[in-house]
Amino acid sequence: MSLGEFLQRATSPWMREGGPQDDIVLTSRVRIARNLEGIPFPQLETDSHANQVIERVAKALNSPAVRKLGDFELVRCSDLSALDRAVLVEKHLISRDLAEEARHGAVALRQDEVISIMVNEEDHLRIQCILPGMRVDEAWRLANTVDDALESELTWAFHERLGYLTACPTNVGTGIRASVMMHLPGLVISGQINRLLSAVSQVGLTVRGLYGEGSEAAGNLFQVSNQVTLGESEQEIIQNLTGVVLQLIDHERAARKALLQANREALEDRVCRSFGILAYARRMDSKETLQRLSDVRLGIDLGIIKGVSSRILQELLVMTQPAFLQKYFGQELSPGERDVRRAALIRERLRLDDTEVHG
Amino acid sequence: MLCQRCQQRPATVHFTQVIGGDKTEYHLCDQCAQEKGDLLSKAAQAFSFNSWNPFQFNQLLSGLLNMESSPGFASPPLTQLRCDHCGLPYSQFTKTGRFGCAHCYDSFEARLEPMLRRIQSNTTHTGKVPLRAGGQVKVKKELQRLRRELQQAVSLEQFEHAARLRDEIRRLEQQLED
């Protein structure tokens, strides 16, 4: 199979679309935690409880209300290979916890992979909607619709004062975690990022790097999400997040413009060097891959590099991860082998596009 | 023992903080513990949400939760407190940060309240209400109101009104059972 075909099959359909502000916002994601009334939370679930939850979810997925939203396929994690589970984690469709403790877990996926429902993770259900670009409001509305549809068959654990009850008190209330993944190289290069991120944390939001490396996020990728789930309505949470993200987008655009004006040559040099390394290197570790991809994506956004799809960052972000590499090359790979294959895959991916570099 | 922070008041709060395998014991007076608590909750937020490491978060959560249990606290010792529904020992909750069932929220309410104040903006849900449970919530609230009104009517010897209230209460109770 050619890489083009593999990409077509392996990446989620939504990853191939664009979305509003997708030069800066990669994805918008909303996750809602729900638990069934009368069954212990997953931590204390017996095999029979866990099966009950899966069976009830399966029944709910077949209800007319849910079927209206599309076709879902429910799979028990124990029926998936460890590699397939890892691929689902790399596609952000299930959590690492669910993949690792697969005994009781299951996942329901809608065909387009926009909606995924994790079953028996920390909570009985985690409904997730993920969309490309800045569409957090739409992701919430969709997740809310799925919640309503499931509720036509299932009774949620709900407390009059505390709202939706969750296994961890950090999710109680709305059970909602909305997050926006942003590419902010301008703010990082211009040294403004820490100041902005600390401001963000003062308005009830949190920021983490893609791989939890704090503010020195790999690939200049940051996830901004709500921190509080109790005491604010879902709409307030979404509005607050949206407002802050839109401001961050403005700051990022201004920073990019200022960088180009102040020192175009240095920026072009950085972008083109990274492009050269990605195009010719024989070994790439994941950290350097992320940094170079971030530079190239910035170069594409600023018109320095032409002829390369702006989806390359999203695609290769997922494609160059361990499980995907092994899936693509069809064999188990040691970390050292992965670095060699990763470099090969990136070179191949760059050849898919007819690249031009404008100096 | 004197409070190790102010060295003036007697230490009444004893707790252990574990961060990344490093264990630190604190012996503090009520006042210093309160201040330390505020610092800790900020640290807990910073840790849990920036690095998203539930392990560290739970350890800090554990520190916070045990902090509530100073000697003389008017509740059973930690080792004995369990959820009366699922049997989850409170001590296990403080280790994992996860409840065993929905009833744990009621069983551990007194201890949960101060923590919710620290980690959430408020302690009352103002968002979405499920259609199914939501109807019941409304009925339950109405029942509470009617029962209060019934007590008042009885104490004022308004027996006719009380009888009407009693019938309405029965009707709603029936509705809940169905």
Side-chain angles (χ1 to χ4, degrees), chain B residues 20-74:
Chain B
D22 291 329
K23 203 164 149 185
T24 319
E25 286 196 6
Y26 292 94
H27 307 281
L28 304 170
C29 66
D30 284 341
Q31 199 177 321
C32 290
Q34 186 75 39
E35 286 166 24
K36 179 85 186 154
D38 289 339
L39 283 175
L40 268 180
S41 75
K42 286 199 185 92
Q45 289 181 2
F47 264 93
S48 66
F49 297 105
N50 286 335
S51 60
W52 207 254
N53 181 339
F55 186 59
Q56 281 173 330
F57 170 67
N58 292 338
Q59 287 174 336
L60 276 155
L61 194 65
S62 159
L64 284 173
L65 293 163
N66 286 322
M67 201 175 66
E68 304 298 333
S69 61
S70 56
F73 197 88

Side-chain angles (χ1 to χ4, degrees), chain A residues 114-180:
Chain A
V114 165
I115 305 171
S116 64
I117 302 166
M118 283 194 273
V119 185
N120 291 327
E121 203 241 23
E122 183 180 299
D123 293 296
H124 289 147
L125 280 91
R126 291 251 167 125
I127 304 163
Q128 178 186 278
C129 292
I130 187 165
L131 290 167
M134 182 55 194
R135 288 154 83 186
V136 68
D137 187 47
E138 196 182 329
W140 151 243
R141 274 184 278 133
L142 188 56
N144 190 29
T145 314
V146 178
D147 177 42
D148 285 343
L150 288 168
E151 207 217 326
S152 68
E153 287 286 326
L154 305 167
T155 305
W156 301 141
F158 186 81
H159 188 282
E160 289 177 37
R161 186 170 57 84
L162 295 173
Y164 293 94
L165 298 178
T166 51
C168 182
T170 51
N171 295 316
V172 74
T174 56
I176 186 179
R177 192 79 61 200
S179 55
V180 175

Side-chain angles (χ1 to χ4, degrees), chain A residues 40-96:
Chain A
F41 293 154
Q43 184 193 186
L44 291 189
E45 259 175 353
T46 59
D47 287 356
S48 120
H49 286 138
N51 285 331
Q52 258 186 62
V53 174
I54 295 176
E55 279 159 24
R56 286 204 208 168
V57 171
K59 190 166 167 251
L61 290 173
N62 267 318
S63 69
V66 179
R67 292 185 78 100
K68 257 195 266 174
L69 299 172
D71 285 336
F72 286 85
E73 193 187 347
L74 181 73
V75 201
R76 282 172 187 264
C77 291
S78 53
D79 290 340
L80 293 169
S81 70
L83 185 61
D84 283 335
R85 294 200 297 270
V87 166
L88 289 178
V89 173
E90 291 174 2
K91 286 169 100 173
H92 297 281
L93 295 172
I94 65 171
S95 68
R96 209 162 280 281

Side-chain angles (χ1 to χ4, degrees), chain B residues 3-171:
Chain B
C3 169
Q4 67 187 56
R5 191 161 173 263
C6 64
Q7 299 289 337
Q8 283 169 7
R9 294 173 287 266
T12 52
V13 179
H14 311 272
F15 70 100
T16 310
Q17 185 186 352
V18 186
I19 300 177
D22 291 329
K23 203 164 149 185
T24 319
E25 286 196 6
Y26 292 94
H27 307 281
L28 304 170
C29 66
D30 284 341
Q31 199 177 321
C32 290
Q34 186 75 39
E35 286 166 24
K36 179 85 186 154
D38 289 339
L39 283 175
L40 268 180
S41 75
K42 286 199 185 92
Q45 289 181 2
F47 264 93
S48 66
F49 297 105
N50 286 335
S51 60
W52 207 254
N53 181 339
F55 186 59
Q56 281 173 330
F57 170 67
N58 292 338
Q59 287 174 336
L60 276 155
L61 194 65
S62 159
L64 284 173
L65 293 163
N66 286 322
M67 201 175 66
E68 304 298 333
S69 61
S70 56
F73 197 88
S75 66
L78 277 182
T79 47
Q80 284 169 29
L81 188 64
R82 282 173 180 273
C83 170
D84 53 21
H85 196 83
C86 69
L88 181 89
Y90 185 75
S91 56
Q92 191 178 332
F93 168 63
T94 64
K95 282 190 201 110
T96 62
R98 292 190 187 154
F99 286 131
C101 74
H103 296 271
C104 291
Y105 279 92
D106 292 323
S107 300
F108 305 139
E109 192 188 359
R111 290 167 189 280
L112 187 64
E113 196 71 21
M115 187 196 45
L116 281 180
R117 280 185 196 288
R118 289 197 184 103
I119 59 178
Q120 302 279 2
S121 74
N122 200 304
T123 57
T124 305
H125 176 61
T126 56
K128 185 177 177 180
V129 172
L131 297 169
R132 194 188 295 256
Q136 289 204 349
V137 169
K138 273 188 210 148
V139 174
K140 279 185 194 158
K141 287 206 166 148
E142 178 66 4
L143 268 174
Q144 279 173 2
R145 191 187 65 77
L146 289 172
R147 286 188 188 122
R148 276 198 304 271
E149 208 180 318
L150 175 65
Q151 269 184 351
Q152 208 179 10
V154 170
S155 68
L156 295 170
E157 301 189 357
Q158 297 170 339
F159 297 116
E160 245 179 84
H161 183 48
R164 277 201 304 276
L165 289 168
R166 182 202 57 205
D167 292 346
E168 179 64 10
I169 288 170
R170 281 196 187 145
R171 192 185 65 77

